[in-house]
Amino acid sequence: MSCIFCRIAEGDMDADVVSSDDHVIVIRDIDPKAPTHLLVLPRRHVASIDEAADDGELVARVMRVARDAARAEGLDDGYRLVTNVGEHGGQTVPHLHVHVLGGRHLGWPPG
């Protein structure tokens, strides 16, 4: 298994786990871009939202967990959810994950 997020989800690789259930795991990003920077990823390997878009249950679960994680982190003033798709979209790990960013004002467009 070469996918780093699969290895984390299986417990074969250390990560700062914030929460987890049977389907989704939330970890702290090792290179944070905001005071709060979490990654929400399904335990099952799915390359990107392109692959998961027709799996409404999975997408809804990931988004619910992202919302709940943001609330648990106290991001009451707002937060940003981001998922990148493909190399040109900035995806560096080919496993679906949603970034939860907050804890400061996030301007637009992103820098």
Side-chain angles (χ1 to χ4, degrees):
M1 176 178 357
S2 63
C3 174
I4 188 169
F5 288 162
C6 286
R7 291 171 47 209
I8 289 170
E10 289 294 321
D12 295 336
M13 188 169 190
D14 287 336
D16 187 352
V17 177
V18 174
S19 68
S20 66
D21 64 25
D22 291 342
H23 304 282
V24 179
I25 185 168
V26 181
I27 62 174
R28 294 199 187 278
D29 195 294
I30 61 170
D31 185 23
K33 304 303 182 203
T36 298
H37 189 166
L38 307 174
L39 302 176
V40 181
L41 48 125
R43 288 184 178 277
R44 174 172 57 95
H45 184 81
V46 179
S48 72
I49 194 68
D50 271 356
E51 226 177 80
D54 293 329
D55 187 344
E57 186 176 328
L58 174 67
V59 173
R61 180 182 293 273
V62 167
M63 297 307 265
R64 268 192 313 275
V65 169
R67 177 205 59 200
D68 293 348
R71 288 179 178 171
E73 292 286 314
L75 300 178
D76 302 324
D77 290 341
Y79 55 93
R80 180 172 291 159
L81 301 179
V82 176
T83 186
N84 301 317
V85 179
E87 181 181 347
H88 289 286
Q91 187 177 12
T92 57
V93 178
H95 184 117
L96 173 63
H97 57 287
V98 173
H99 298 259
V100 179
L101 300 140
R104 68 170 170 84
H105 178 77
L106 300 167
W108 193 260

